[in-house]
Amino acid sequence: MRITVVGCGYVGLVAAACYAELGHEVICVDNSAEKIGALQAGETPIHEEFLPELLKDYGGKTLRFTTALSEAVRASSVIFIAVGTPPCASGEADLSSVESVAREIAQSLTGYKVVVEKSTVPVSTNDAIRRVMSLNKGARGAFDVISNPEFLREGTAVIDFLYPDRIVIGSDSERATALLQQVYCPLTDGSYYKRKDAIPAPDHARIPAPLVLTSAASAELIKHASNAFLAMKISFINAVASICETVGADVEEVRTGMGLDSRIGPRFLHPGIGYGGSCFPKDLSAFRAVARESGYDFRLLEEVTRINEEQKQRFLRKLRKALWTLKGKHVGVLGLAFKGGTDDIRESPAIGIVESLLQEGVEITAYDPAAMDRAEQVLPPTVKFACDAYAAAEEVDALVILTDWEEFANLDLRRLRPLMHYPIIVDGRNLYDPSALTKYGFFYMSVGRPDMIPQRAPNVRRVA
Ligand code: UGA
């Protein structure tokens, strides 16, 4: 099939590359000439596993990049809108990019086209797109607008796209649904997974990919409700972690016990310094705004956000407890990305914590395997960047772990210990077994678990 994807951000670029992987001819459009130039030159603008390989295999062949939206629309039968929907000051999603793309698509229509909203949008955006297109020369019957939300996560985006938990198509038109089913056919009939060159399946992959057909409004709500529910799960376990700290329980034991209940499940129950990224914080406030507009006061979501903010403050209090005063102290920071496996620092709790520490007069040396270039652009020049985790730990009064990169969970503790001024680790991601760390002589504080102090004798004393 001939497909256009408008927007070369995370969702758009990954989706475009994956549609090419499924055998379609894809044109990826963006209004940033710089971005398109870089993609045409073979660059991969984001850190994402398997994406460079897909861009290399299909770039310039069945995957082309352009700024010319009208031409792309004319050449395609399905057009995905995957442009940004950043939050306005009121918390609502700013849909101006979606609107201007819809307008231009309407003015470029030749023959029947399916316009698919893939950006995360408030319920009834589908109707709004249809209206705008009708007002801009989009003749009745010349197009349908449908919703096909995307559930990929950064860091595992290609795998999530090709091995989805579900594909949701929200449409009130049979013709449009049939076309979109064709787009995803290699995943829903399982033929992609039989290919020798298929990207390998993750554990627990659902093969073939389940298809959920809904109304457009339901599809829009599925996306918002899913993200809000996942964020709620994270805030819930973070609240439980706070109770664990005061009653002396271990949140890792609690979440294991909870997660084994098949009705709850173990995923998205990892406590930490709170969720970040370009989706959960933005989508939660957008969903709250949608609820407010529909006459429902969704206070539960407000609480989810409050717990998430509080989690950063709790972490800072822990570091203060470990170091007594912060002014003039030297802290090594491991991790700046909002989560492991990505170079994205948008709404990263790690960046927020570093900024708070700087305000309190702390000297920072930071390391992140992928996000340092981006972090350098937003952090003040006083922050030093190290070439690896060990260099970040040199002569520090404490080392803090802020991102769950796998390499931070596998540090050579024997090598690390003598590098540090004080052997204090404050782990915001619970990457270590506390008793293992104390054996190497570290003071270790984590989230929802007792603080541990080292002892000369083999026994480890629990404090707090
Ligand atoms: C999220 C959703 O998981 C995707 O399904 C959705 O498609 C995407 O938003 C989107 O709307 O585009 P993403 O933001 O890439 O994906 O990242 P997640 O893996 O969901 O992590 C979000 C944040 O929650 C990170 O800061 C992560 O560290 C934190 N987190 C996640 C926890 O603190 N604990 C957990 O157990 C899981």
Side-chain angles (χ1 to χ4, degrees):
M1 290 187 73
R2 292 185 137 196
I3 291 174
T4 284
V5 179
V6 190
C8 290
Y10 253 101
V11 171
L13 185 59
V14 171
C18 289
Y19 292 136
E21 166 78 350
L22 296 183
H24 302 301
E25 265 185 53
V26 187
I27 308 174
C28 204
V29 183
D30 202 284
N31 60 6
S32 158
E34 195 188 335
K35 218 184 236 181
I36 291 298
L39 285 162
Q40 284 170 337
E43 286 172 31
T44 309
I46 49 176
H47 180 91
E48 203 56 65
E49 203 184 2
F50 299 118
L51 188 59
E53 290 87 336
L54 293 182
L55 294 182
K56 185 162 171 275
D57 287 352
Y58 303 109
K61 296 166 208 154
T62 51
L63 174 59
R64 289 182 295 121
F65 299 98
T66 179
T67 52
L69 176 56
S70 302
E71 272 167 45
V73 169
R74 281 195 282 273
S76 310
S77 46
V78 181
I79 300 128
F80 290 89
I81 303 181
V83 297
T85 53
C88 307
S90 61
E92 287 169 53
D94 175 355
L95 299 176
S96 52
S97 301
V98 176
E99 183 182 344
S100 73
V101 167
R103 216 182 301 130
E104 202 174 335
I105 293 172
Q107 288 158 357
S108 317
L109 291 179
T110 47
Y112 177 75
K113 315 273 174 191
V114 181
V115 177
V116 191
E117 45 165 35
K118 203 144 193 63
S119 309
T120 302
V121 289
V123 67
S124 63
T125 302
N126 210 277
D127 292 336
I129 295 177
R130 196 172 298 124
R131 233 181 2 258
V132 156
M133 289 186 63
S134 300
L135 289 171
N136 286 276
K137 299 193 195 154
R140 225 187 142 144
F143 68 94
D144 274 307
V145 183
I146 74 176
S147 170
N148 169 224
E150 186 46 59
F151 302 98
L152 58 80
R153 290 162 302 164
E154 290 184 21
T156 51
V158 170
I159 290 284
D160 287 347
F161 191 96
L162 294 169
Y163 294 89
D165 282 350
R166 74 294 205 192
I167 294 166
V168 176
I169 300 177
S171 163
D172 306 318
S173 148
E174 274 178 27
R175 187 178 180 190
T177 305
L179 265 177
L180 215 62
Q181 277 182 273
Q182 266 186 53
V183 171
Y184 288 106
C185 191
L187 301 182
T188 53
D189 72 3
S191 55
Y192 174 71
Y193 308 117
K194 292 186 191 128
R195 267 172 45 185
K196 285 209 178 68
D197 63 342
I199 286 178
D203 294 343
H204 315 299
R206 288 195 179 140
I207 294 177
L211 180 67
V212 183
L213 300 181
T214 69
S215 69
S218 298
E220 290 165 328
L221 267 183
I222 287 171
K223 171 68 191 190
H224 261 159
S226 299
N227 270 6
F229 192 85
L230 291 170
M232 181 183 73
K233 243 182 138 180
I234 298 168
S235 278
F236 187 89
I237 200 64
N238 281 334
V240 172
S242 304
I243 298 170
C244 288
E245 285 172 13
T246 48
V247 301
D250 181 333
V251 72
E252 294 299 327
E253 292 172 356
V254 176
R255 83 172 178 87
T256 304
M258 282 172 66
L260 282 169
D261 185 325
S262 57
R263 292 167 304 174
I264 298 172
R267 298 174 73 191
F268 278 70
L269 273 185
H270 294 273
I273 51 174
Y275 58 79
S278 66
C279 303
F280 283 174
K282 161 179 87 75
D283 289 354
L284 242 79
S285 62
F287 196 27
R288 262 167 61 198
V290 165
R292 209 166 39 235
E293 220 162 85
S294 74
Y296 184 77
D297 183 9
F298 210 155
R299 265 179 283 177
L300 175 63
L301 300 187
E302 217 165 291
E303 192 55 19
V304 169
T305 306
R306 191 197 62 75
I307 294 170
N308 198 52
E309 284 308 307
E310 168 69 16
Q311 211 54 19
K312 280 181 268 193
Q313 298 310 320
R314 289 186 71 86
F315 184 84
L316 288 167
R317 284 202 289 277
K318 236 171 242 164
L319 185 60
R320 251 181 239 118
K321 184 175 154 196
L323 289 177
W324 188 20
T325 60
L326 290 181
K327 195 171 172 193
K329 295 276 165 59
H330 183 189
V331 169
V333 170
L334 296 187
L336 297 162
F338 81 99
K339 65 172 185 176
T342 176
D343 58 352
D344 198 342
I345 55 161
R346 285 175 290 175
E347 300 285 329
S348 169
I351 297 286
I353 287 171
V354 167
E355 283 169 345
S356 299
L357 291 175
L358 290 170
Q359 267 168 22
E360 297 206 34
V362 175
E363 189 192 327
I364 302 279
T365 304
Y367 169 68
D368 187 288
M372 288 198 292
D373 287 349
R374 289 181 195 255
E376 208 171 356
Q377 288 164 27
V378 299
L379 291 173
T382 47
V383 174
K384 292 193 202 94
F385 291 95
C387 59
D388 63 21
Y390 302 98
E394 267 171 36
E395 286 303 312
V396 296
D397 297 308
L399 190 64
V400 296
I401 301 176
L402 300 183
T403 307
D404 51 348
W405 280 101
E406 214 174 306
E407 70 170 81
F408 298 156
N410 296 301
L411 295 171
D412 178 349
L413 300 171
R414 222 180 287 273
R415 178 178 164 199
L416 191 69
R417 166 72 183 82
L419 296 173
M420 296 166 64
H421 182 214
Y422 294 143
I424 298 172
I425 295 183
V426 188
D427 179 358
R429 299 289 190 164
N430 288 4
L431 296 188
Y432 283 93
D433 168 8
S435 52
L437 270 196
T438 53
K439 277 190 212 137
Y440 289 94
F442 287 100
F443 292 78
Y444 181 70
M445 296 168 120
S446 52
V447 182
R449 300 186 293 183
D451 300 339
M452 306 292 280
I453 62 169
Q455 278 206 335
R456 276 193 204 105
N459 285 341
V460 168
R461 184 157 62 91
R462 282 185 165 210
V463 294

